[in-house]
Amino acid sequence: MKTTAFSRDESADLMLEGLDHIDQGVTIFDADLKLVAWNNRFLEMLNFPEILAFEGADFASFIRHNALRGEYGAGDVEQQVAERVNNALKFEKHKFERTNADGRILQVAGTPLRRGGFMTVYTDVSLQHSIQDELERRVAERTEALKLSDERLKLIANEVPA
C-alpha cells in the first residue's frame, strides 16, 4: 500500500472537497466570526450566492443578506444583524429549526470549537417533518374511527335487554 504525505494545505483542500460530498451544509467560523471553511451544500440549502463565501468572509455578511431578503421578518436590518452577531459571539452550543422561503425546514446545529469559533451543520429535515405530519394525521383518523366504533358499541350494549 502506497502512502502519500500531504502538506497542511493539501490536507485542508482534500477535507474541503470531501465536505462537498455530504448531504448537509457545513460552515466553520473562527473566533473573529470570519469564515474558515464551508461546503457548497451550505450555499445551496440557504440560497446564498457563491460570491458571499470566501475565506475570511464576515459572519455578518451572511446575516445581512438574509435580513435584506426578509428572512427575519420586518424590522431594522442593522439591528437584526447586530442581534444575531452578538448571539454568535457568545459561542454557545445551539440547535434550532428554521423554515426557508421555499418551505424547506432546516435544522441548524452549532457547536463551539476549542480554539474559538464554531462549526455549524445544516440539515434538511423537511422529509422527516412530512413523515411525522402524515403519521399524526393517520393516528388522528384511527383515533376518531375507534371513538365512533366505541360509541356504536355502547349504543348497541344499551339496547340489548339485560
Side-chain angles (χ1 to χ4, degrees), residues 3-34:
T3 59
T4 306
F6 291 108
S7 71
R8 187 165 177 84
D9 287 342
E10 289 171 325
S11 293
D13 287 344
L14 192 61
M15 179 201 58
L16 292 174
E17 182 182 340
L19 288 177
D20 278 333
H21 294 282
I22 63 173
D23 197 35
Q24 295 170 299
V26 175
T27 57
I28 299 174
F29 284 89
D30 66 15
D32 297 320
L33 297 182
K34 302 296 183 190

Side-chain angles (χ1 to χ4, degrees), residues 74-85:
D76 180 66
V77 167
E78 292 310 313
Q79 183 179 358
Q80 292 174 335
V81 172
E83 287 172 6
R84 284 160 178 81
V85 167

